[in-house]
């Protein structure tokens, strides 16, 4: 979640409280409290539209995509290493090629892995990490969405391919760009969940690995049906939306912590029976406190629903500010906080207590610099995350930082 630069000084003071938010009545160390549950409503893409597009274009597997990579991940520069967590220390890290590391037209947000998708930790024969990015104002297509699918079969030499996210029209004759901020992701079976946009009624968009299409026009700077075939802004692959969830309460509010929540991040919890999706919301205003929700899985890797409505089974409120990522495992919640100017914080929370790793002089600001979403790979015991700011953003603010994808053991987290 981008922090507007006009707020950097104010947020440096508020988030720099190093374990205390900007309000006197609540502290990051306060336990979670229960709150009102929120329901979601399912809207399916017409099956005929998906069938039509599958027939018009080559339908490929995600394994095909990650074995057709076009860019290599790299080792991290000194500035990128400086942005990694201090406590716990990252045990795995990799960084982007120069174009992705420096671009200001796209920004990394959500993350998920094949450890979510299948209990053996792989998707087919491949170990895969999916990094979600959204378009910025500089792109001119704000909140267009793409996934950078990393082949992690060989951790010493990971590589990736980018694919666009698209929404079929009602007949399947064409498609448009999916609008999603990508703040959080969850992957379960063939379904890939991404958070949508704030201040709208759409909460979560759902895509499927069964509907990844190879474009027949890779030169047109357009999306959908073109004179040359089908295009997705020159990308080779696009993944189709199979449906979306809206907030039952209507349009969400990014300015209220009592109204309909705007989901800012999301992840999968495989420790529950059935597995569940958990979400959180982001507020830069330190007087507002984000809520965390849980939705159990049902049939066909979709959320459990009755008459199209998915009901939350848990709802709690956190006093941690600037929540960028959320994770839940074995009854504990983990939330990643971000600061505008220093390392973020990673808090372990329950309704009984809230704690964070400390470093240096005892400060809790030990997590990554400008951190984003969280995901847990139970097959390896690793919590993966990524950092947001480009080298250009960091340089402009006189900060030593950069983008990376990194992991820490779940066992190393506080609490």
């Amino acid at each position: 979640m981008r922090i507007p630069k006009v707020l950097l000084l104010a947020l440096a003071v508020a988030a720099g409280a190093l374990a205390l938010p900007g309000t006197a009545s609540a502290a990051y160390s306060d336990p979670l409290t229960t709150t009102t549950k929120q329901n979601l409503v399912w809207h399916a893409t017409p099956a005929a539209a998906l069938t039509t597009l599958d027939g018009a274009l080559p339908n490929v597997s995600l394994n095909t995509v990650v074995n057709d990579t076009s860019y290599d991940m790299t080792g991290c520069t000194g500035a990128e290493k400086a942005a990694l967590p201090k406590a716990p220390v990252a045990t795995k890290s990799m960084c982007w090629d120069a174009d992705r590391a420096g671009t200001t037209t796209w920004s990394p947000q959500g993350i998920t892995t094949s450890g979510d998708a299948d209990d053996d930790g792989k998707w087919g024969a491949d170990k895969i990490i999916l990094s979600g990015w959204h378009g910025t104002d500089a792109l001119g297509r704000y909140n267009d969405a793409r996934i950078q699918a990393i082949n992690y079969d060989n951790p010493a030499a990971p590589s990736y391919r980018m694919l666009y996210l698209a929404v079929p029209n009602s007949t399947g004759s064409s498609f448009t760009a999916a609008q999603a901020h990508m703040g959080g992701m969850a992957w379960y079976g063939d379904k890939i969940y991404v958070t949508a946009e704030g201040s709208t009624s759409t909460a979560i968009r759902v895509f499927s690995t069964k509907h990844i299409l190879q474009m027949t026009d890779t030169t047109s700077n357009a999306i959908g049906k073109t004179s040359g075939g089908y295009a997705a802004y020159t990308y080779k692959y696009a993944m189709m939306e199979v449906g979306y969830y809206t907030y039952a309460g209507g349009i969400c509010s990014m300015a209220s912590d009592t109204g309909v929540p705007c989901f800012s991040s999301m992840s999968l919890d495989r420790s529950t029976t059935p597995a569940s999706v958990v979400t959180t919301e982001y507020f830069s205003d330190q007087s507002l406190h984000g809520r965390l929700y849980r939705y159990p899985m049902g049939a066909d890797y979709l959320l459990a629903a009755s008459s199209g409505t998915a009901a939350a089974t848990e709802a709690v409120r956190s006093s941690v500010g600037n929540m960028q990522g959320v994770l839940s495992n074995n009854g504990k919640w983990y939330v990643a906080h971000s600061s505008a100017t220093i390392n973020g914080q990673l808090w372990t929370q329950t309704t009984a207590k809230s704690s964070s790793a400390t470093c240096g002089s005892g400060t809790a600001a030990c997590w990554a610099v400008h951190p984003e979403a969280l995901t847990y790979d139970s097959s390896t015991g690793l919590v993966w995350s990524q950092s947001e700011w480009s080298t250009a953003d960091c340089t402009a603010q006189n900060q030593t930082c950069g983008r990376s994808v990194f992991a820490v053991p779940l066992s190393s987290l506080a609490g």
Side-chain angles (χ1 to χ4, degrees), residues 27 43 93 159 171 175 187 212 406 413:
H43 308 265
S93 63
S159 56
T171 62
F175 48 85
W187 179 8
I212 299 175
F406 60 88
L413 302 185

Side-chain angles (χ1 to χ4, degrees), residues 14 69 176 178 229 234 245 254 295 324 342 367 375 378 384 397:
T69 55
T176 55
T234 73
Y245 291 94
M254 297 185 70
Y295 300 90
Q324 296 280 19
I342 59 177
W367 194 233
T375 188
S378 58
W384 286 90
Q397 294 300 318

Side-chain angles (χ1 to χ4, degrees), residues 188-412:
Y188 193 52
D190 69 290
K191 302 301 192 296
I192 295 174
Y193 294 70
V194 306
T195 52
E197 299 176 285
S199 303
T200 69
S201 61
T202 303
I204 298 170
R205 296 191 181 276
V206 184
F207 300 83
S208 174
T209 59
K210 293 180 179 179
H211 299 286
I212 299 175
L213 304 180
Q214 183 174 329
M215 300 296 100
T216 52
D217 178 355
T218 56
T219 60
S220 296
N221 191 31
I223 190 164
K225 189 73 174 70
T226 68
S227 59
Y230 291 86
Y233 294 116
T234 73
Y235 287 58
K236 186 175 182 178
Y237 302 107
M239 183 159 53
M240 298 294 122
E241 180 180 273
V242 296
Y244 62 95
Y245 291 94
T246 56
Y247 302 104
I251 295 174
C252 72
S253 172
M254 297 185 70
S256 168
D257 61 1
T258 58
V260 178
C262 293
F263 295 163
S264 63
S265 197
M266 172 173 54
S267 66
L268 183 74
D269 185 353
R270 275 186 159 270
S271 71
T272 57
T273 304
S276 53
V277 161
V278 295
T279 69
T280 190
E281 58 183 334
Y282 169 92
F283 293 113
S284 58
D285 182 343
Q286 299 287 290
S287 69
L288 301 177
H289 302 117
R291 293 158 289 179
L292 315 173
Y293 298 94
R294 182 184 305 278
Y295 300 90
M297 287 295 184
D300 197 25
Y301 305 108
L302 295 172
L303 301 183
S306 175
S307 301
T309 298
T313 55
E314 188 176 2
V316 290
R317 186 184 298 277
S318 173
S319 293
V320 174
N322 297 348
M323 287 193 291
Q324 296 280 19
V326 61
L327 189 71
S328 177
N329 184 264
N330 287 326
K332 295 179 179 179
W333 293 81
Y334 305 88
V335 293
H337 150 280
S338 68
S339 165
T341 58
I342 59 177
N343 285 67
Q345 303 172 25
L346 187 64
W347 289 83
T348 303
Q349 300 193 293
T350 67
T351 54
K353 67 176 183 176
S354 176
S355 58
S356 176
T358 57
C359 54
S361 60
T363 174
C366 302
W367 194 233
V369 179
H370 309 303
E372 282 296 326
L374 304 168
T375 188
Y376 176 56
D377 181 352
S378 58
S379 70
T380 61
L382 293 175
V383 174
W384 286 90
S385 185
Q386 60 182 347
S387 49
E388 176 186 15
W389 277 27
S390 69
T391 49
D393 289 329
C394 295
T395 299
Q397 294 300 318
N398 296 315
Q399 296 181 19
T400 303
C401 57
R403 290 176 175 151
S404 64
V405 179
F406 60 88
V408 303
L410 179 67
S411 60
S412 68

